[in-house]
Structures are given as structure tokens and as C-alpha cells.
Amino acid sequence: MKKPILFLLLLFPIFMFSQKNKHISKEIQEIKKFQSDLNREYLDPKETPLRDDNFAKFKYHPFFPIDLKYRVTAKFTKTENPQPFDLPTSSGKSKSYQEFGTATFTLNGKMHALKIYQSLDLMKMEKYKDHLFLPFRDETNNKETYGGGKYIDLTIPEGDTIILDFNQSYQPFCAYNAHNYSCPIVPEENKLAVEIRAGVMYEDIYHH
């Protein structure tokens, strides 16, 4: 009886390691799919925000190396009785949103908090009724990323936690085409005092 038990004990660490790797690879696969889909969108003449030479020269987005440190499980606190408000945009107009909740998380040993919003227009549409909007700024803006900040698309969580994967953060359309797009400006309360070296990088070659 001792030999089978010893064999199982030896196999157990290998099994746990393979399960952990399987879980990680699933997360990485999601990020790679996000990158592939975003590149495909910008290469599609019907969907791309790029115009003229910028579209003709575009091959793919530059991305920070995938780093699961920037995929965090945040505590989610839903906002009670949210009030509609007008969020200013890059064109000087505004769009209607409401605060949906707050995500609190730890990164690099420090606690951070971000407000999550819901578009009053999109929530009326069946396809986007569960869609949430997270705009943020961080210390990479005006360096490796767009000066106006970045966005993450989320869905309404079921419990009191929410996954924030900054590897799937992206620049707004107006970063690539300020003529045709009006993008929500990141509220001051969502400015992070930390570098988020994840997601889409940015080359300031589009504003000309």
C-alpha cells in the first residue's frame, strides 16, 4: 500500500502546478484575444477610427508586455441612489453617465480606488445594458500612453468583487482621430499616482 500512496504524493505537486499554469494561460489567452481583436478592429475600414495616412500605415498596436500583476481583483462597492451627471468630452460637449460603484484594490503595496460609471444611453440598449465604463489616468500618460488617459470596458459584477485587467486597457478613439470622435474626459478622481505599465501603448503620431 505504501508504494501507491507515495506515487500519488509525488504526483500531487505536479497536478497542482499544471492546474495553476492552466489557469494563468487562460488569463493570458484572454489578453491576447483582446490584443488581436483590437488590432483587427483598427485594420477594418468599417470600424477603424484611423483616417487617411494613419490608416494606410497602421499594422498593429504596440502593447506593454503582458503582466498579470496588473490584473487585480478589486473590492466592489455599488453606489446607492446614483445621480445622473454630464461627463465632459474632448469636443467640449458632454455625455450622460451615472456613477455605478467604486473599485478598491492594492497595487505595488498601496491601496487605490477608481470610480466606475454607466452610460445612461447605453444602458437603454439590450446589448449594452450590463456594460460599465472605467476611465483612468496614471503616471505613464504623456510618456508611453495617451495624455488624456485610458479606458477599460467592464460588465456588472455579480458579487462584491470585480476583476480589473489593465492589460486590456486602451486609448480612446479621439487619441487617433480628434476630428471625428468625442471622448469622455477622465474625471480627476480617477487619476492614479502610479504607473500602469499594461495594455495599449501610444505613439503621438496621430495629431497632425
Side-chain angles (χ1 to χ4, degrees):
M1 289 294 294
K2 290 183 179 180
K3 287 185 177 180
I5 294 173
L6 180 61
F7 179 71
L8 289 174
L9 289 174
L10 290 172
L11 278 181
F12 183 74
I14 298 174
F15 172 78
M16 293 301 294
F17 179 77
S18 65
Q19 289 298 105
K20 182 179 179 181
N21 277 359
K22 182 179 178 181
H23 181 61
I24 290 176
S25 68
K26 180 182 176 182
E27 296 170 339
I28 292 175
Q29 285 173 7
E30 290 177 1
I31 296 166
K32 289 185 175 180
K33 182 179 184 303
F34 161 79
Q35 295 179 348
S36 177
D37 289 348
L38 192 67
N39 284 334
R40 190 180 303 112
E41 178 184 2
Y42 275 62
L43 288 166
D44 186 338
K46 295 181 180 179
E47 296 186 30
T48 185
L50 299 170
R51 6 180 319 179
D52 306 328
D53 288 347
N54 288 332
F55 176 69
K57 295 177 182 178
F58 182 82
K59 291 183 175 60
Y60 51 82
H61 288 283
F63 294 96
F64 285 103
I66 293 175
D67 189 342
L68 295 183
K69 176 181 79 171
Y70 293 109
R71 178 185 170 95
V72 298
T73 300
K75 179 182 178 182
F76 177 75
T77 305
K78 193 175 186 300
T79 301
E80 298 295 332
N81 303 314
Q83 299 300 311
F85 70 96
D86 291 331
L87 187 59
T89 71
S90 55
S91 68
K93 299 179 181 180
S94 62
K95 295 183 179 181
S96 297
Y97 283 84
Q98 66 181 17
E99 182 184 300
F100 191 82
T102 304
T104 308
F105 59 96
T106 301
L107 186 63
N108 294 343
K110 294 184 178 180
M111 189 71 73
H112 303 277
L114 289 170
K115 299 292 185 182
I116 299 174
Y117 307 97
Q118 189 173 36
S119 166
L120 297 189
D121 293 327
L122 290 182
M123 65 188 294
K124 299 173 186 175
M125 303 167 62
E126 183 65 25
K127 183 179 179 181
Y128 296 106
K129 66 179 183 179
D130 293 331
H131 181 267
L132 298 177
F133 175 56
L134 174 55
F136 70 95
R137 294 181 64 194
D138 69 275
E139 296 297 320
T140 68
N141 298 154
N142 283 319
K143 299 174 185 175
E144 296 97 338
T145 60
Y146 177 56
K150 298 173 76 176
Y151 300 161
I152 299 178
D153 294 326
L154 301 168
T155 55
I156 295 175
E158 294 181 358
D160 59 358
T161 62
I162 189 168
I163 299 294
L164 306 183
D165 192 344
F166 292 99
N167 293 282
Q168 298 187 48
S169 60
Y170 61 93
Q171 265 79 220
F173 272 6
C174 57
Y176 305 90
N177 181 353
H179 299 281
N180 299 110
Y181 294 95
S182 179
C183 304
I185 294 174
V186 178
E188 192 64 27
E189 61 193 0
N190 271 15
K191 184 177 181 180
L192 297 172
V194 64
E195 286 189 338
I196 303 293
R197 303 186 65 79
V200 186
M201 301 175 72
Y202 183 72
E203 297 174 277
D204 195 12
I205 59 175
Y206 299 101
H207 289 149
H208 58 74

Tab-separated table of all heavy atoms in Angstrom, residues 9 25 100 121 161:
chain	number	residue	atom	x	y	z
A	9	LEU	N	1.431	10.944	-3.832
A	9	LEU	CA	2.005	12.131	-3.188
A	9	LEU	C	2.983	12.840	-4.118
A	9	LEU	O	3.079	14.074	-4.124
A	9	LEU	CB	2.699	11.737	-1.886
A	9	LEU	CG	1.767	11.331	-0.727
A	9	LEU	CD1	2.589	10.822	0.457
A	9	LEU	CD2	0.901	12.528	-0.298
A	25	SER	N	-2.693	30.508	-18.061
A	25	SER	CA	-2.725	30.569	-19.515
A	25	SER	C	-4.084	31.032	-20.022
A	25	SER	O	-4.177	31.694	-21.047
A	25	SER	CB	-2.374	29.202	-20.117
A	25	SER	OG	-3.376	28.254	-19.845
A	100	PHE	N	-21.627	54.116	-10.986
A	100	PHE	CA	-22.189	52.801	-10.680
A	100	PHE	C	-21.583	52.202	-9.415
A	100	PHE	O	-22.250	51.491	-8.676
A	100	PHE	CB	-21.988	51.848	-11.852
A	100	PHE	CG	-22.763	50.569	-11.707
A	100	PHE	CD1	-24.106	50.520	-12.043
A	100	PHE	CD2	-22.162	49.422	-11.217
A	100	PHE	CE1	-24.837	49.343	-11.901
A	100	PHE	CE2	-22.886	48.245	-11.065
A	100	PHE	CZ	-24.227	48.207	-11.411
A	121	ASP	N	-27.149	56.306	-21.921
A	121	ASP	CA	-27.615	55.961	-23.272
A	121	ASP	C	-27.453	54.472	-23.540
A	121	ASP	O	-28.365	53.803	-24.032
A	121	ASP	CB	-26.856	56.772	-24.322
A	121	ASP	CG	-27.191	58.253	-24.251
A	121	ASP	OD1	-28.344	58.588	-23.914
A	121	ASP	OD2	-26.292	59.087	-24.518
A	161	THR	N	-16.872	41.743	-5.626
A	161	THR	CA	-15.539	41.914	-6.210
A	161	THR	C	-15.679	42.087	-7.715
A	161	THR	O	-16.695	41.693	-8.311
A	161	THR	CB	-14.620	40.711	-5.925
A	161	THR	OG1	-15.181	39.530	-6.515
A	161	THR	CG2	-14.416	40.510	-4.433
